[in-house]
Amino acid sequence: MTPPAPDHPKQLPPPPKGEQVFVGLGVSPGVAIGVAHLHDAGNVAVPEYHIPPDRLEGEKARFADAVAGASRQVSLLRRKADALPGESGEELGYLLDAYQQMLKSSRLVRGVDRRIGVDGINAEAAVQREIDQIVQGFAAMDDAYLAARIEDIRDVGRRLIRNLTKTPFEPFTQLPRNAVILAEELTPADTALLDPAKVAGFATVLGGTASHTAIMARSLGLPAIVGMTGLLSRAREGALAVIDGAEGKVILNPGAETLAHYRSKRAEFLKRRRQLHRMRKIPAVTLDGAAIKLEANLELAGEIDGVLAVGAAGVGLLRSEFMFMNRKDLPSEDEQYAHLLQLVQRLDGRSLTIRTLDAGGDKMPRALGFAEGPNPALGLRAIRLSLKHPEILETQLAAILRGGAHGPVRILVPMGSAVEELRAVRDTLGQVVRRLKRRHVPIASPLPPIGTMIEVPGAALAADALAWQSDFFAIGTNDLTQYTLAIDRADESVAHLYNPLHPAVLRLIQFSAEAALRARIPVSVCGEIAGDPRYTALLLGLGIRDLSMAPSSIPWVKQRIRTLDLMAATKRARVIMDQPDSQRIAQLLDDFNAGN
Ligand code: PEP
Ligand code: MG
């Protein structure tokens, strides 16, 4: 391994004292004031096992994939370092270049490859052994520069082992009280582990506004920011930190005046939220009398209290994949049933829409451990994955059918794009029904409706055909925007281009809504725009009467609905749909919202 040439000071500069302000993309509103906690990758348990000779080549290929993955991650960070101002970006850049070198055909990579073959062990164990040996060698040389490199080598090793074991870091067990988490990246699974009673908010370097991590933050009501370039190299553990989720600002070591400003802003936000919560019993009706159904999106069972507290009409989207996360095995039918039963009972007659496993991309449960494929966003995910592994779908459908014996449930198919997929789900449901009936297990009667998520442009364009195979539609504008505009919803570098107000996205929403209305099936929107009052008039104007969103958004959207004239909104939507560019559309919408 070749360390970088020692012609630069290799330690990162000490953080400047005094107040520092960083600006990123605010993804969840609110103000957090707390203690900075730098979330690092942490140590991962290293499994060790024997690899038989005929599988050694496969093991080496698995290691090569992990190296390629680590190299991609480091390149991404390198690009971010380039964007940093001044010396800190330069220094960070040198460090990351050194990491990148370690991932090329270095002693580390060659050594691991050799160990897999010679020792006949798995790649994780080979990485650990090789790192230990390199570190020992460096330590024996009694050279201050090399000693400083030891942590870098360990860091690269941890990254490789994490990639190999596909271990989402299970952190957050020993947090300071009122922690403000600052991290390179939080996966949706990591975010699901955050306890809002202990965590005040978070800011990450990576991530887009419509990422599942951002969605989780909104669901948990945690102020959050992504795309926070430059933050990690300047922040120190234990520093006082403020997050303003609406403005997208992190302030480290705030001065007395700044702190007082954000304390009062926080108090104001909380007061406003309490006032809005008092609206829970007031109906969501427009000025001209149209009743709008406001449902909640739910990820974790613990959020059900929040759903009931805001007076949601039901759960319009249960992201069932969160039941599969942060565990090593797959949940059994009984476990899934127990989980659903609890929700059905708490909902007490309100409907529960359960989306079947939407695994893949950034939400691949460890127990599935499938290879990601060259393009995870377009790969074996969601309903495609469930149909490829029918045992997963059958187990899930059985649990849903059993849960449906205790209250209204609906089945929602994620990322459907063809009528054949819907037919296959119906066939599987039929088989599961017969199996349960043979065993006299009580199930939903009548059978639950089966709906399609409209989130692939092809599904929206074929909405007329899909409507005949579907009992309802739920338009997933997060993915619909991502796939229509070819913009990764989780990538902060293209976040400025991610725009649900693009005419192409709006046309697909309109086309799907009209197809549903023609086929007389219910249609809702459950993407993030459903929970943003800025879009309410437009969605209603396009014929949508059912919106499903993070529970914390319901009061804000309800308030907007109650000030809205549906006839006027419909007229404005017509004008908007004639516009060729999103800027003009945004202007027309914002003017309408401002009462102009
Ligand atoms: C969507 O894509 O709009 C959606 C609601 O699903 P998810 O955000 O879970 O992908
Ligand atoms: Mg989606």
Side-chain angles (χ1 to χ4, degrees):
M1 185 179 45
T2 329
D7 54 356
H8 279 267
K10 291 300 176 256
Q11 302 297 329
L12 294 179
K17 293 212 167 43
E19 191 167 301
Q20 300 171 69
V21 182
F22 301 84
V23 182
L25 298 164
V27 293
S28 179
V31 175
I33 302 173
V35 179
H37 172 67
L38 272 68
H39 164 68
D40 76 12
N43 285 317
V44 179
V46 183
E48 179 156 352
Y49 48 90
H50 173 70
I51 302 285
D54 61 331
R55 286 183 28 219
L56 287 173
E57 281 315 307
E59 192 61 10
K60 287 184 180 184
R62 197 167 72 84
F63 173 60
D65 280 351
V67 173
S71 177
R72 277 197 301 274
Q73 291 154 359
V74 172
S75 306
L76 202 61
L77 290 172
R78 182 70 176 84
R79 285 214 308 274
K80 301 205 161 294
D82 285 344
L84 289 182
E87 276 188 7
S88 59
E90 215 172 291
E91 292 301 330
L92 192 58
Y94 285 120
L95 190 68
L96 293 169
D97 286 345
Y99 281 21
Q100 201 59 279
Q101 268 176 306
M102 288 185 226
L103 292 166
K104 298 243 168 74
S105 182
S106 62
R107 171 177 161 194
L108 171 64
V109 172
R110 280 181 279 114
V112 173
D113 207 61
R114 185 182 48 78
R115 270 180 199 278
I116 294 173
V118 174
D119 300 354
I121 51 170
N122 60 311
E124 294 87 339
V127 171
Q128 190 60 60
R129 284 189 194 176
E130 191 62 27
I131 295 275
D132 288 348
Q133 200 186 39
I134 296 173
V135 167
Q136 255 179 26
F138 273 28
M141 281 182 208
D142 194 22
D143 174 318
Y145 169 72
L146 290 181
R149 301 276 62 76
I150 289 178
E151 213 19 63
D152 303 343
I153 296 162
R154 287 215 174 96
D155 203 21
V156 171
R158 278 196 293 262
R159 193 177 279 279
L160 285 171
I161 292 172
R162 263 200 348 272
N163 287 353
L164 281 163
T165 51
K166 299 203 185 299
T167 310
F169 181 46
E170 285 188 23
F172 319 127
T173 41
Q174 290 177 336
L175 289 178
R177 271 196 50 209
N178 218 14
V180 169
I181 295 180
L182 309 177
E184 177 186 320
E185 183 175 22
L186 292 179
T187 65
D190 289 339
T191 317
L193 294 174
L194 297 180
D195 176 356
K198 291 190 187 144
V199 175
F202 69 80
T204 63
V205 178
L206 304 178
T209 46
S211 66
H212 287 97
T213 300
I215 290 172
M216 277 302 304
R218 288 190 283 269
S219 287
L220 295 170
L222 287 175
I225 304 175
V226 300
M228 206 30 115
T229 313
L231 176 70
L232 287 186
S233 55
R234 319 281 282 184
R236 289 299 175 263
E237 183 79 22
L240 188 59
V242 173
I243 287 189
D244 183 331
E247 283 184 10
K249 271 191 192 158
V250 172
I251 299 112
L252 296 175
N253 309 315
E257 213 173 298
T258 309
L259 198 56
H261 167 74
Y262 281 104
R263 281 203 177 118
S264 97
K265 195 167 176 186
R266 181 164 190 275
E268 190 55 39
F269 180 83
L270 295 177
K271 185 171 146 206
R272 183 101 185 88
R273 199 159 70 178
R274 278 196 302 276
Q275 280 168 350
L276 284 171
H277 271 74
R278 289 195 208 115
M279 293 175 64
R280 68 181 292 271
K281 293 220 166 90
I282 301 174
V285 178
T286 61
L287 290 175
D288 43 352
I292 309 300
K293 190 170 179 186
L294 300 184
E295 297 187 286
N297 293 350
L298 192 89
E299 289 79 32
L300 307 170
E303 292 167 41
I304 189 72
D305 291 335
V307 171
L308 300 173
V310 292
V315 169
L317 170 65
L318 172 67
R319 291 183 162 102
S320 70
E321 53 278 9
F322 281 86
M323 248 187 273
F324 291 65
M325 285 183 191
N326 294 312
R327 53 184 294 155
K328 294 196 179 79
D329 54 355
L330 292 172
S332 66
E333 180 187 313
D334 282 347
E335 266 178 273
Q336 294 189 46
Y337 165 63
H339 181 92
L340 297 177
L341 177 62
Q342 189 197 350
L343 294 177
V344 168
Q345 286 175 337
R346 294 292 310 278
L347 284 167
D348 194 20
R350 299 177 196 89
S351 140
L352 172 64
T353 303
I354 303 148
R355 181 170 73 184
T356 63
L357 182 65
D358 187 12
D362 60 345
K363 294 185 296 186
M364 185 61 91
R366 223 181 313 166
L368 296 180
F370 301 126
E372 271 190 342
N375 191 340
L378 303 179
L380 188 63
R381 53 179 305 184
I383 192 59
R384 307 158 186 185
L385 187 144
S386 294
L387 290 173
K388 178 95 189 287
H389 298 275
E391 65 291 351
I392 297 176
L393 182 62
E394 286 162 17
T395 307
Q396 202 169 23
L397 292 178
I400 297 174
L401 284 165
R402 289 170 61 191
H406 304 271
V409 298
R410 305 196 301 174
I411 298 167
L412 181 56
V413 175
M415 282 193 70
S417 58
V419 287
E420 291 83 351
E421 287 164 335
L422 268 294
R423 273 194 214 115
V425 173
R426 280 191 196 283
D427 289 348
T428 310
L429 188 75
Q431 287 160 24
V432 178
V433 168
R434 286 192 287 282
R435 171 166 66 78
L436 292 174
K437 280 192 172 165
R438 272 200 303 276
R439 293 193 201 147
H440 305 290
V441 178
I443 59 169
S445 174
L447 292 179
I450 300 182
T452 306
M453 287 281 294
I454 303 292
E455 49 185 349
V456 173
L461 290 167
D464 317 51
L466 282 167
W468 298 114
Q469 275 294 331
S470 309
D471 299 317
F472 65 98
F473 278 170
I475 305 178
T477 46
N478 305 335
D479 277 317
L480 192 59
T481 307
Q482 152 163 279
Y483 293 120
T484 304
L485 304 181
I487 290 180
D488 188 336
R489 59 192 267 193
D491 182 347
E492 67 294 339
S493 67
V494 282
H496 61 291
L497 299 171
Y498 181 94
N499 186 3
L501 291 180
H502 190 292
V505 179
L506 295 182
R507 281 173 195 163
L508 292 176
I509 296 174
Q510 183 185 40
F511 191 70
S512 311
E514 286 177 358
L517 297 175
R518 272 196 304 276
R520 298 188 195 289
I521 59 170
V523 54
S524 63
V525 171
C526 60
E528 289 302 291
I529 61 172
D532 185 341
R534 181 184 185 206
Y535 298 91
T536 309
L538 178 56
L539 293 175
L540 266 50
L542 291 176
I544 302 292
R545 299 288 179 272
D546 183 348
L547 299 167
S548 191
M549 64 199 80
S552 57
S553 300
I554 287 185
W556 307 89
V557 172
K558 189 188 279 185
Q559 192 193 36
R560 176 70 189 114
I561 287 170
R562 291 178 61 82
T563 58
L564 234 162
D565 182 283
L566 185 60
M567 285 299 283
T570 308
K571 275 194 204 141
R572 181 55 58 112
R574 249 181 246 138
V575 176
I576 282 178
M577 293 311 290
D578 281 339
Q579 305 304 316
D581 76 283
S582 29
Q583 257 181 5
R584 176 87 187 118
I585 290 174
Q587 186 66 54
L588 283 164
L589 184 57
D590 293 341
D591 282 355
F592 183 79
N593 288 337
N596 303 324

